[in-house]
Amino acid sequence: MLPYETLLKDNKEWAAERVKEQPDFFKTLSELQTPEFLWIGCSDSRVPANQITGTQPGEIFVHRNVANLVINTDVNLLSVLDYAVNYLFVKHVIVCGHYGCGGVKASMTSDDFNQVLNMWLRNIKDVHRIHRSELDAIEDEEKKCDRLVELNVQEQIFNLAKTSIIQRAWQNDKRPDLHGWVYGLNDGIIKPVYEMKAGTHIDPLYEYKNL
Ligand code: CO
């Protein structure tokens, strides 16, 4: 059996198992999607949103990209955010990074990864520059990388708060709260590192009026 055929076989077994446990499992799910959470995570195969949070299909709306970045020109991410906030009415947006993130590690080198990846990783280099003094004081390279992972998540929370999508929802509906988390590949534990409640004021430079 070819590797991808195994996936299809396992899928049939998984579907059968769900129906055995709960006969109307798929009927209920197909009729309604009301997740409370939007998850913005890393594409890393070791950080699957549902498995590590013990949640079921239907519970988390998910967007993943390299190093869980929130970039204000990323139409893909902004479409997901708009849909989750304005149509699914999620109450929480979670940005979840992970220690040992390959994207963050790559951004700490001077290597040329060619234009597209260079473009993407530039955003993490900018986070590094903003927090340069704190990071420069950490000598151990792994610890420095871990801290950059945390600071990267924090900056992505700020990037969310800078969008008119979030600011409008905060003004009109007092949601969603924003949560910055980091997952440990070594122990499977998620550490909350930054939180921004709905309605928090940010630098006035980024706050819109007449929303
Ligand atoms: Co990663």
Side-chain angles (χ1 to χ4, degrees):
M1 193 177 283
L2 295 164
Y4 72 90
E5 290 176 328
T6 315
L7 298 185
L8 295 171
K9 181 179 77 62
D10 288 351
N11 161 256
K12 285 198 189 70
E13 282 168 18
W14 173 81
E17 198 63 35
R18 297 288 80 72
V19 175
K20 209 169 101 187
E21 281 172 7
Q22 191 188 326
D24 62 351
F25 184 84
F26 291 107
K27 190 175 180 297
T28 313
L29 264 183
S30 62
E31 284 165 2
L32 198 64
Q33 180 181 225
T34 54
E36 260 189 62
F37 311 97
L38 165 62
W39 175 279
I40 299 169
C42 184
S43 297
D44 193 302
S45 63
R46 298 164 295 179
V47 196
N50 283 124
Q51 269 141 304
I52 66 172
T53 56
T55 46
Q56 296 297 318
E59 292 190 77
I60 305 188
F61 199 62
V62 174
H63 178 82
R64 289 167 72 178
N65 62 39
V66 172
N68 40 271
L69 299 179
V70 176
I71 295 168
N72 73 335
T73 51
D74 180 352
V75 176
N76 184 351
L77 175 127
L78 293 173
S79 304
V80 171
L81 182 66
D82 191 355
Y83 188 72
V85 170
N86 294 319
Y87 294 85
L88 296 173
F89 307 105
V90 296
K91 296 189 178 76
H92 304 274
V93 180
I94 297 157
V95 175
C96 188
H98 65 102
Y99 295 118
C101 182
V104 173
K105 274 188 195 160
S107 80
M108 294 173 80
T109 72
S110 302
D111 296 346
D112 172 14
F113 292 96
N114 290 324
Q115 186 55 36
V116 176
L117 275 173
N118 286 347
M119 244 166 72
W120 194 255
L121 299 176
R122 230 294 303 284
N123 296 285
I124 314 173
K125 285 180 186 278
D126 291 344
V127 174
H128 199 143
R129 177 178 49 78
I130 293 167
H131 297 278
R132 181 149 224 152
S133 54
E134 181 186 341
L135 290 164
D136 280 354
I138 306 171
E139 280 181 24
D140 183 86
E141 275 304 304
E142 206 178 312
K143 287 204 179 94
K144 193 196 289 255
C145 181
D146 285 352
R147 185 60 186 142
L148 180 54
V149 164
E150 294 174 353
L151 292 168
N152 182 48
V153 161
Q154 179 182 314
E155 288 301 323
Q156 306 320 312
I157 295 293
F158 277 105
N159 288 344
L160 283 171
K162 289 172 191 168
T163 66
S164 52
I165 297 171
I166 289 295
Q167 290 184 23
R168 195 174 287 114
W170 279 1
Q171 182 187 279
N172 298 338
D173 211 14
K174 297 202 167 42
R175 66 166 181 90
D177 294 331
L178 310 179
H179 308 268
W181 293 354
V182 177
Y183 173 77
L185 292 174
N186 296 331
D187 58 9
I189 300 296
I190 294 170
K191 177 181 165 189
V193 294
Y194 199 77
E195 190 176 86
M196 203 183 270
K197 291 276 184 207
T200 301
H201 284 285
I202 56 169
D203 188 328
L205 198 59
Y206 297 104
E207 283 193 343
Y208 295 101
K209 289 203 172 100
N210 313 317
L211 283 162

